[in-house]
Amino acid sequence: MSNHLTSSEEQTKEYADRFRLLYGTLAATALLFSAGLWYLQIQSGEEYRSFSEKNRIKETEIPAPRGLLYDRDGKILVENLPGFEAVISPQYTEDLLATSKAVAEALQMDAESIKIKVDKSRRQNGPFFPVRIKENLTRDEVFRLKRLRLNHPGLDIREAILRSYPLGEDGAQLFGYVGEISKNQLPIFNTKYKGKLKFKQGDIIGKAGLEEVLEPDLRGHAGVSFLQVDAKGREAVTQTSNIYGEIFKDQDAIPGNNIVLTLDKDVQQAAYDSFKANNRIGALVALKANGEVLAWLSSPSYDPKEFAAGIAPDVWSRLINDPYRPLRNKVIQDHAAPGSTFKPIIALAALQENVVTPTTVIYCPGAIKFGRRMYHDHLKGGHGRVTIIDAIERSSNVFFYRMGIGLGIEHMSAYAKAVGIGSKTNIELNQEVSGLMPSAEWKKENIGEPWQPGENLSTAIGQGFVAVTPIQMALAYLTIGLEGKRFKPFVIKKILSHDNQRVLKEVEPVLLDDLTQPKAGRPQVDISTFQSVKQGLWRVANGVSGTARWWKIPGVEMAGKTGTSQVMSFSADQIYEECTKKPIQQRHHGWYIGMAPAANPEIVVAILAEHACHGSTGGAPIARDVIKAYMQKYHPEMLKNVEKSKLAHAQPSATENPDSQSRAE
Amino acid sequence: MKVSMQLEERTFLKRIDLNFVLVIFALNLVGLINLYSATHGVHSVGLSRLFLAQIFWLVIGWGLFFLLTIGEYHFFSRFAYVFYGLNLVALVVVMYKGSTYYGAQRWIDFGIFRFQPSETMKIALILVLAKIIAPKSRPNGLELKDLILPGIFTLIPFGLVVKQPDLGTAMLLAAISVTMIMFVGVKKKILIWAVVSTTIAVPLVYNFGLKEYQKDRIKTFVDPGKDPRGSGYNSIQSRIAVGSGQILGKGFRKGTQSQLEFLPERHTDFIFSVLSEEHGFVGSITTVSLFITLFLLAIRNASQARDKFGCLMVVGIIAFMFWHFFINVGMVIGVMPIVGVPLPLLSYGGSSMLATMSALGLISAVHFRKFLF
């Protein structure tokens, strides 16, 4: 450094006037701060002092009522009821232990856990944040707490809004439930809805089903009211000057938006009642021809109200440990082998690829040999000489084994994927699974083995790797029924403003695809092919050998298909063993997918009857009930015309026991 | 040997700026007393961990202070780029591996303590800028080309700190840089150009460069009614705390606003409210005066520096301390927006304490060497 030898005077001489600037800045700052402190501490000191000693602002949140859910006719499905909850504000408590003990006695709770809860929240959320102790207080509890309040500052009873589900466990998995936001969810939600919604500890949010998906609409905006209170948290009696001024102005809560679903409460009720009457577990979904969900059921179920009031640990553990998984939304979350309900899809492929024509007759014995293995039919004697339409009606395995051999996996896979098997339907709900439609490549990649020719046979009757969800099956059958048209399923029809005055969003049906039109990457299917398969489906419900012929609705022709999904693999001998003699959890699942009217379906119902052994007895009667309820509501004229002439022809006679016959699926 | 040591000792006491040391010591005392109050609530038993940690950092801080005082500060001129480079690396490490607290990644966790590189970056930036600007400074001001390097060296850490995101510290880096450049002086033409371009840039940055919470804070400052429960609430509570202190204050550990936990962050950003509430106008003015005295002594040291580097380094450090002081106290008494900036020597914080004491040590070093060649 050359500067080293020059004197400091010379070096920094040029800065001399700048130092004056620094001194000036300091002087100005000293003046500004002195003036500020003087103004606050001396000029307004007394006012602030009295404020800090006598009065504080207590901020109370006015919760926003969540939006309501209506069915397609405007009937209430999910609503809110007023209630009371007990809270403790840590900032005002004098002796938390004593307060906890008193509250615990009044509410029959554990004093220690109340204290821990309050202490924890005090650390996490600060002392201002009121801690919710118990929701949904009874009248007696409110009364007892009111007396306690005098001696226990900080204890409060707040008005609360309780979510209410008039349908109870019916459709619970679709509507979902609400609960207090967890510590882990808090940052996730605040990132997800950044700039739109703010979440904080203690907020009630949708935790499952539509409540979860519709959170941004249902939530609304909480209001806030400010009260001047004394140091013990009690409302101030004397009015002191309001130092806060305009800052603390009450804000009203804005309720969430209301939602109109595509669901039909009457059809839903019929589905639920039928499930109950038949003592079924499993899943049901009913769709309108344009993809609107009419009914949605997952059984066994739970009462969402239990969650709204803060779920009790024992109820929770019972729900998650139930082997029949009541919390799962089985319509989209459970996938199973489609069994014989897969055969109509294979029939589409076989007819379109000219493996057979509608009139080709094939001899079907009780079993065929392929490779070194015997492939059995469920009917020991076989079905004799049948066409593809007969084969659908009677659900012949051997016929479809031959189709599987003729088609090969790539064709089967292409047609199944074309009707939506193996991919999510993207209905507006979380946690939908995609199911699986295998291909040779898929097996190579995921299992590391080449495709075996024998697997073509099991795939053709819907066993092996194929896995489908009930909603996929409903849509696939709808595509067959509508002769190629594929609609996107949806359950949210309209979003209304909280006063129902404005329609914020209206959802139109979406036509995803028309299989009769050419499109790259999927096979094209002729209308005549669909018609042949539909004929087979009609025969299932109406033909003399139809596997679901016992359940009819006078005046309305139905079409459908039964199926059995093997829960565990059994050797040929065991397949013939009476399913109903096994322990429940080892019994096969039954499938039934039904449509009506058969020629031009308006409604399709898919039922996965878990551990019901058969699709015909397990699913078909329920489908009949649901379709009947729909027809009674929307086409009463069809039912009336026949009521007088034919009567109760629908029940199976003693000689024609469906249980013994329905092995034929 | 003995004689030389005595001589050494005498010259040490003579050469050190004792007034400066005493003022710092006084502020330390005020800081500890006040921190004790802020960290010991109504129900606390024994000494708080935070309080003990602060004493620990203070002792280390004084060690650094004296080490730097007697050291040759040109060592820092020579290694300025190395310090700067290491700090940049640390900032990048924070970005990828740093711990997140209060929603921002600012710390590197060393287990026993969390190191906040943005604090030491302030010092590294001061050193680098002093080194670059000193040989270029001329009586009629810097030219545009002289500003390119200082600009780049400021913008890199500025960008990294904004990313954390810590707007307060980033603005401080910029403020330090601008203060140093303005101190040296720039051509009039550049000054006018800078004013014009800032007027254009500010609304642009506000609309496109700031995060929502950062905008909120500025909005809250302009109109506290906008967010009554967020920053506005803090601002109000802080003003009540300060105001209710009146002339003599409510007394040590008797501040209701702070003891009842109405004040957020009362041991860090709002430490001055605790002091004002408990010790009133008298205590606040005394503390403000101590800070002003500290700055006056530092400015005197700058004016007596033996070279431009030393002078500019001290000016940079003054800028660093002053802006912290100005923003923090200004925020507490409601003349500045709520920005998370600690008050040097009074707020709790290891990194801040070490950076502050080191910086003060460098000022002391300039005084120590002022008559040496």
Side-chain angles (χ1 to χ4, degrees):
Chain A
M1 279 204 179
S2 60
N3 318 358
H4 262 210
L5 293 175
T6 47
S7 82
S8 74
E9 310 282 280
E10 235 169 279
Q11 273 244 342
T12 56
K13 194 174 60 185
E14 61 179 83
Y15 298 148
D17 58 327
R18 319 285 160 69
F19 286 117
R20 279 200 285 277
L21 199 72
L22 294 189
Y23 287 126
T25 313
L26 269 190
T29 306
L31 209 65
L32 174 71
F33 285 179
S34 305
L37 288 167
W38 183 82
Y39 173 75
L40 283 178
Q41 300 190 297
I42 297 176
Q43 181 88 351
S44 343
E46 212 163 313
E47 209 179 343
Y48 279 118
R49 172 68 69 97
S50 82
F51 210 88
S52 80
E53 279 174 358
K54 294 204 194 88
N55 284 278
R56 314 197 185 293
I57 285 294
K58 188 161 117 179
E59 164 195 335
T60 320
E61 192 190 83
I62 310 168
R66 280 177 85 77
L68 311 177
L69 299 187
Y70 297 110
D71 89 336
R72 59 189 303 128
D73 303 322
K75 291 178 190 155
I76 286 278
L77 297 171
V78 179
E79 62 181 337
N80 303 309
L81 290 178
F84 290 97
E85 61 185 15
V87 293
I88 290 178
S89 306
Q91 142 202 31
Y92 301 118
T93 52
E94 278 173 351
D95 183 349
L96 181 56
L97 190 64
T99 305
S100 303
K101 275 181 184 157
V103 172
E105 207 188 286
L107 301 180
Q108 272 114 45
M109 292 171 78
D110 176 33
E112 189 59 24
S113 62
I114 293 176
K115 189 175 178 298
I116 289 170
K117 197 173 178 186
V118 175
D119 278 333
K120 201 174 148 198
S121 165
R122 186 196 179 91
R123 275 195 306 277
Q124 282 173 4
N125 311 313
F128 307 104
F129 193 86
V131 188
R132 195 177 283 132
I133 304 300
K134 192 179 182 187
E135 288 166 281
N136 202 12
L137 297 175
T138 64
R139 274 181 59 179
D140 282 356
E141 285 170 337
V142 170
F143 187 65
R144 282 199 291 268
L145 287 180
K146 275 206 170 139
R147 271 185 303 186
L148 285 179
R149 275 194 67 197
L150 290 172
N151 300 322
H152 295 280
L155 173 65
D156 233 332
I157 301 158
R158 285 200 309 205
E159 263 184 62
I161 300 166
L162 208 64
R163 200 64 163 160
S164 157
Y165 303 85
L167 262 56
E169 63 162 29
D170 180 8
Q173 294 85 354
L174 176 66
F175 307 133
Y177 54 85
V178 294
E180 202 171 304
I181 191 164
S182 73
K183 212 182 150 198
N184 300 337
Q185 280 172 315
L186 203 54
I188 301 171
F189 271 65
N190 276 322
T191 319
K192 190 174 168 191
Y193 297 115
K194 210 173 174 184
K196 283 177 256 165
L197 298 171
K198 267 186 192 164
F199 294 83
K200 60 183 189 326
Q201 201 81 30
D203 276 2
I204 298 293
I205 54 159
K207 293 223 160 184
L210 289 168
E211 292 273 26
E212 184 186 11
V213 176
L214 288 166
E215 180 67 25
D217 279 302
L218 292 174
R219 187 173 169 73
H221 294 276
V224 61
S225 83
F226 299 100
L227 282 174
Q228 289 196 13
V229 292
D230 66 12
K232 287 186 174 181
R234 294 182 290 229
E235 281 175 38
V237 187
T238 51
Q239 194 68 38
T240 52
S241 60
N242 185 1
I243 253 172
Y244 294 107
E246 284 288 287
I247 290 175
F248 294 104
K249 228 166 51 184
D250 290 5
Q251 291 166 358
D252 290 335
I254 306 165
N257 299 329
N258 296 333
I259 314 287
V260 178
L261 301 182
T262 60
L263 218 66
D264 187 308
K265 196 178 174 185
D266 302 319
V267 179
Q268 175 75 21
Q269 191 63 46
Y272 178 76
D273 291 343
S274 185
F275 247 66
K276 277 281 153 199
N278 288 286
N279 202 14
R280 276 286 152 265
I281 56 170
L284 173 146
V285 59
L287 301 177
K288 254 186 99 130
N290 61 6
E292 292 180 340
V293 173
L294 286 170
W296 187 292
L297 212 61
S298 190
S299 165
S301 192
Y302 60 88
D303 188 351
K305 204 176 74 199
E306 308 244 31
F307 288 87
I311 187 149
D314 55 318
V315 179
W316 175 248
S317 89
R318 198 190 68 224
L319 286 175
I320 56 169
N321 292 321
D322 188 325
Y324 302 113
R325 300 159 305 162
L327 291 174
R328 271 170 90 93
N329 193 341
K330 296 177 179 177
V331 175
I332 51 170
Q333 278 183 280
D334 266 13
H335 53 190
S340 299
T341 56
F342 201 54
K343 288 171 182 167
I345 297 165
I346 298 301
L348 280 183
L351 290 167
Q352 190 66 33
E353 296 295 326
N354 286 319
V355 177
V356 285
T357 69
T359 50
T360 312
V361 174
I362 294 179
Y363 173 66
C364 292
I368 58 168
K369 197 174 179 197
F370 185 81
R372 274 171 298 172
R373 247 192 78 182
M374 288 301 287
Y375 288 81
H376 294 268
D377 203 292
H378 40 73
L379 214 61
K380 262 184 183 161
H383 298 279
R385 293 166 53 80
V386 292
T387 65
I388 193 160
I389 291 153
D390 302 325
I392 294 173
E393 178 186 349
R394 299 149 174 255
S395 203
S396 159
N397 279 357
V398 170
F399 190 96
F400 282 95
Y401 289 146
R402 293 201 192 282
M403 298 303 105
I405 297 165
L407 280 164
I409 183 62
E410 293 320 314
H411 277 138
M412 289 193 282
S413 186
Y415 282 84
K417 282 174 182 165
V419 295
I421 305 300
S423 50
K424 291 180 187 176
T425 66
N426 293 323
I427 190 161
E428 314 95 314
L429 288 160
N430 292 335
Q431 277 140 4
E432 182 179 8
V433 298
S434 62
L436 176 68
M437 184 60 222
S439 66
E441 285 151 54
W442 170 85
K443 196 183 172 197
K444 189 93 195 155
E445 259 170 46
N446 291 278
I447 301 189
E449 286 167 19
W451 188 260
Q452 301 296 327
E455 286 170 326
N456 288 335
L457 281 70
S458 51
T459 304
I461 62 156
Q463 304 291 355
F465 295 113
V466 198
V468 297
T469 59
I471 195 163
Q472 280 173 346
M473 286 318 268
L475 284 162
Y477 273 61
L478 197 56
T479 305
I480 296 172
L482 299 176
E483 293 169 7
K485 291 196 178 57
R486 275 189 64 209
F487 281 94
K488 184 176 194 268
F490 64 104
V491 68
I492 299 162
K493 200 176 167 71
K494 264 188 232 168
I495 298 177
L496 305 175
S497 62
H498 66 86
D499 49 7
N500 290 347
Q501 293 304 305
R502 281 173 302 131
V503 178
L504 304 177
K505 190 180 163 193
E506 185 151 16
V507 183
E508 296 296 329
V510 180
L511 179 65
L512 294 173
D513 198 0
D514 185 347
L515 300 185
T516 58
Q517 303 301 315
K519 189 175 158 189
R522 66 137 173 82
Q524 189 183 344
V525 186
D526 298 334
I527 287 193
S528 61
T529 307
F530 283 117
Q531 285 167 343
S532 303
V533 176
K534 276 171 81 175
Q535 203 187 337
L537 296 179
W538 177 86
R539 293 253 290 266
V540 171
N542 301 288
V544 287
S545 309
T547 52
R549 62 182 180 275
W550 301 276
W551 295 281
K552 292 196 177 83
I553 304 169
V556 180
E557 281 193 330
M558 291 190 285
K561 183 75 191 79
T562 57
T564 305
S565 175
Q566 294 178 7
V567 170
M568 297 176 187
S569 311
F570 297 104
S571 71
D573 297 342
Q574 280 172 309
I575 291 175
Y576 294 105
E577 195 190 309
E578 275 295 314
C579 171
T580 45
K581 284 178 190 154
K582 289 183 206 153
I584 289 177
Q585 289 194 48
Q586 288 177 22
R587 293 180 195 169
H588 302 316
H589 297 328
W591 277 102
Y592 187 76
I593 299 111
M595 308 183 267
N600 197 10
E602 279 182 30
I603 175 175
V604 59
V605 186
I607 293 150
L608 173 60
E610 289 180 334
H611 309 297
C613 288
H614 310 293
S616 59
T617 47
I622 296 170
R624 189 263 320 264
D625 291 347
V626 172
I627 291 171
K628 194 169 172 186
Y630 175 86
M631 292 297 167
Q632 264 166 353
K633 181 166 178 181
Y634 294 95
H635 299 290
E637 74 286 351
M638 289 193 192
L639 302 177
K640 268 181 200 146
N641 290 344
V642 287
E643 235 161 55
K644 286 163 197 158
S645 51
K646 294 181 186 174
L647 271 169
H649 221 313
Q651 288 309 310
S653 67
T655 49
E656 246 188 349
N657 184 357
D659 266 335
S660 61
Q661 297 252 352
S662 55
R663 278 188 286 166
E665 310 182 343
Chain B
M1 195 65 187
K2 207 180 175 185
V3 175
S4 79
M5 262 183 69
Q6 274 180 341
L7 187 75
E8 188 73 6
E9 253 169 49
R10 206 178 303 137
T11 44
F12 176 78
L13 278 177
K14 209 177 131 196
R15 280 161 62 192
I16 204 156
D17 188 348
L18 270 179
N19 289 330
F20 193 60
V21 171
L22 283 175
V23 172
I24 299 172
F25 197 73
L27 278 168
N28 282 158
L29 226 65
V30 170
L32 284 181
I33 292 169
N34 197 42
L35 187 74
Y36 182 87
S37 176
T39 52
H40 294 76
V42 191
H43 304 295
S44 50
V45 189
L47 282 175
S48 115
R49 210 180 52 82
L50 291 182
F51 182 70
L52 291 174
Q54 186 79 341
I55 291 177
F56 173 74
W57 294 121
L58 197 57
V59 171
I60 306 239
W62 276 107
L64 280 172
F65 179 88
F66 285 114
L67 199 73
L68 291 168
T69 301
I70 57 167
E72 171 54 72
Y73 66 83
H74 279 107
F75 171 81
F76 293 102
S77 170
R78 219 165 302 142
F79 291 98
Y81 291 116
V82 179
F83 287 124
Y84 182 86
L86 286 174
N87 253 297
L88 270 192
V89 171
L91 277 180
V92 173
V93 169
V94 161
M95 253 175 102
Y96 292 104
K97 293 220 163 106
S99 321
T100 307
Y101 293 88
Y102 308 114
Q105 288 202 332
R106 298 181 191 172
W107 288 270
I108 299 179
D109 213 326
F110 282 112
I112 51 158
F113 80 106
R114 298 198 309 268
F115 168 59
Q116 197 177 352
S118 51
E119 285 296 322
T120 47
M121 188 71 219
K122 289 168 192 159
I123 297 176
L125 180 69
I126 291 166
L127 293 174
V128 163
L129 290 182
K131 185 181 169 125
I132 298 172
I133 298 172
K136 288 179 181 161
S137 105
R138 275 169 217 91
N140 49 355
L142 296 169
E143 296 193 26
L144 190 59
K145 65 173 165 46
D146 299 331
L147 294 178
I148 296 171
L149 270 183
I152 293 173
F153 276 97
T154 309
L155 281 177
I156 297 171
F158 180 85
L160 287 173
V161 176
V162 164
K163 276 245 141 189
Q164 284 181 354
D166 183 353
L167 192 69
T169 303
M171 293 308 285
L172 270 165
L173 287 173
I176 289 169
S177 178
V178 168
T179 309
M180 287 175 78
I181 290 167
M182 295 308 285
F183 177 80
V184 173
V186 290
K187 289 242 160 96
K188 273 224 173 69
K189 204 171 61 184
I190 302 176
L191 199 65
I192 293 165
W193 182 80
V195 170
V196 171
S197 57
T198 315
T199 337
I200 299 170
V202 165
L204 283 178
V205 169
Y206 179 81
N207 283 323
F208 303 109
L210 292 186
K211 302 212 165 183
E212 229 21 76
Y213 84 94
Q214 293 165 335
K215 283 191 200 174
D216 282 349
R217 282 182 184 175
I218 296 172
K219 279 188 210 151
T220 308
F221 174 61
V222 179
D223 176 12
K226 277 225 158 119
D227 182 16
R229 289 183 293 159
S231 313
Y233 190 78
N234 293 353
S235 173
I236 279 279
Q237 291 299 349
S238 169
R239 291 223 294 271
I240 292 175
V242 175
S244 64
Q246 290 185 289
I247 298 175
L248 291 173
K250 294 175 185 168
F252 179 58
R253 294 190 64 197
K254 286 187 180 139
T256 47
Q257 286 292 110
S258 34
Q259 299 297 333
L260 292 176
E261 302 174 25
F262 273 88
L263 277 175
E265 301 290 318
R266 60 195 180 288
H267 61 290
T268 56
D269 296 351
F270 284 97
I271 193 82
F272 194 77
S273 334
V274 178
L275 187 137
S276 291
E277 186 185 16
E278 298 189 349
H279 305 287
F281 185 70
V282 173
S284 314
I285 286 291
T286 308
T287 310
V288 168
S289 305
L290 279 172
F291 270 106
I292 299 285
T293 313
L294 182 79
F295 293 132
L296 287 174
L297 291 172
I299 295 172
R300 198 183 64 185
N301 278 344
S303 66
Q304 290 171 351
R306 67 172 158 156
D307 57 16
K308 281 183 177 173
F309 171 78
C311 176
L312 288 178
M313 179 175 79
V314 174
V315 168
I317 293 169
I318 292 169
F320 161 29
M321 300 281 170
F322 174 76
W323 287 122
H324 268 268
F325 167 73
F326 184 80
I327 294 171
N328 183 286
V329 176
M331 164 184 91
V332 165
I333 64 177
V335 298
M336 289 289 283
I338 305 280
V339 179
V341 163
L343 183 59
L345 301 171
L346 262 65
S347 286
Y348 168 78
S351 296
S352 163
M353 180 56 84
L354 293 189
T356 305
M357 289 307 286
S358 309
L360 293 172
L362 286 172
I363 296 183
S364 168
V366 170
H367 183 272
F368 198 76
R369 301 261 157 191
K370 70 178 176 182
F371 303 117
L372 282 188
F373 294 103

